[in-house]
């Protein structure tokens, strides 16, 4: 069995009720709900880091190669759009 750690947090009753309703709708328990939120947060953080890198790359070339910078920004926009 995988080792686990019990954590606790304080949230408003309204927020908790919304979480429970979402869990029931998805057929998951509260632990899985929180794990999914953490995973989504990690994925979003990685996505933001990639966007920042792409924009910084375009910014660095804006003065020397405006056309290349525009192309890099277009690619960044397409990346954001998915």
């Amino acid at each position: 069995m995988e080792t686990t750690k019990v954590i606790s947090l304080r949230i408003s009753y309204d927020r908790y009720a919304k979480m429970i309703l979402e869990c029931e709708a998805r057929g998951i328990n509260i632990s899985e709900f929180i794990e999914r939120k953490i995973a989504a947060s990690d994925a979003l953080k990685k996505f933001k880091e990639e966007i920042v890198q792409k924009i910084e790359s375009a910014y660095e070339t804006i003065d020397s190669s405006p056309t290349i910078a525009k192309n890099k920004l277009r690619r960044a926009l397409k990346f954001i759009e998915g």
Side-chain angles (χ1 to χ4, degrees):
M1 181 177 172
E2 181 180 342
T3 60
T4 62
K5 178 69 175 164
V6 174
I7 61 169
S8 81
L9 58 130
R10 185 170 301 276
I11 58 174
S12 70
Y13 182 78
D14 289 340
R15 177 169 277 201
Y16 181 74
K18 289 177 185 176
M19 289 168 58
I20 294 299
L21 288 173
E22 190 172 336
C23 287
E24 288 174 359
R26 294 177 183 216
I28 60 175
N29 61 37
I30 197 75
S31 293
E32 189 171 347
F33 174 85
I34 292 171
E35 287 174 0
R36 287 181 182 189
K37 292 296 182 180
I38 291 169
S41 175
D42 290 345
L44 181 60
K45 181 180 177 184
K46 183 178 177 186
F47 180 76
K48 286 181 178 181
E49 289 170 355
E50 290 180 44
I51 293 298
V52 167
Q53 289 174 352
K54 290 177 183 297
I55 292 172
E56 284 176 347
S57 175
Y59 182 79
E60 290 171 2
T61 59
I62 217 161
D63 291 328
S64 60
S65 302
T67 303
I68 292 174
K70 285 180 185 179
N71 289 336
K72 288 182 177 186
L73 289 171
R74 270 192 212 102
R75 285 194 302 272
L77 286 172
K78 286 182 182 178
F79 179 74
I80 293 169
E81 291 172 345

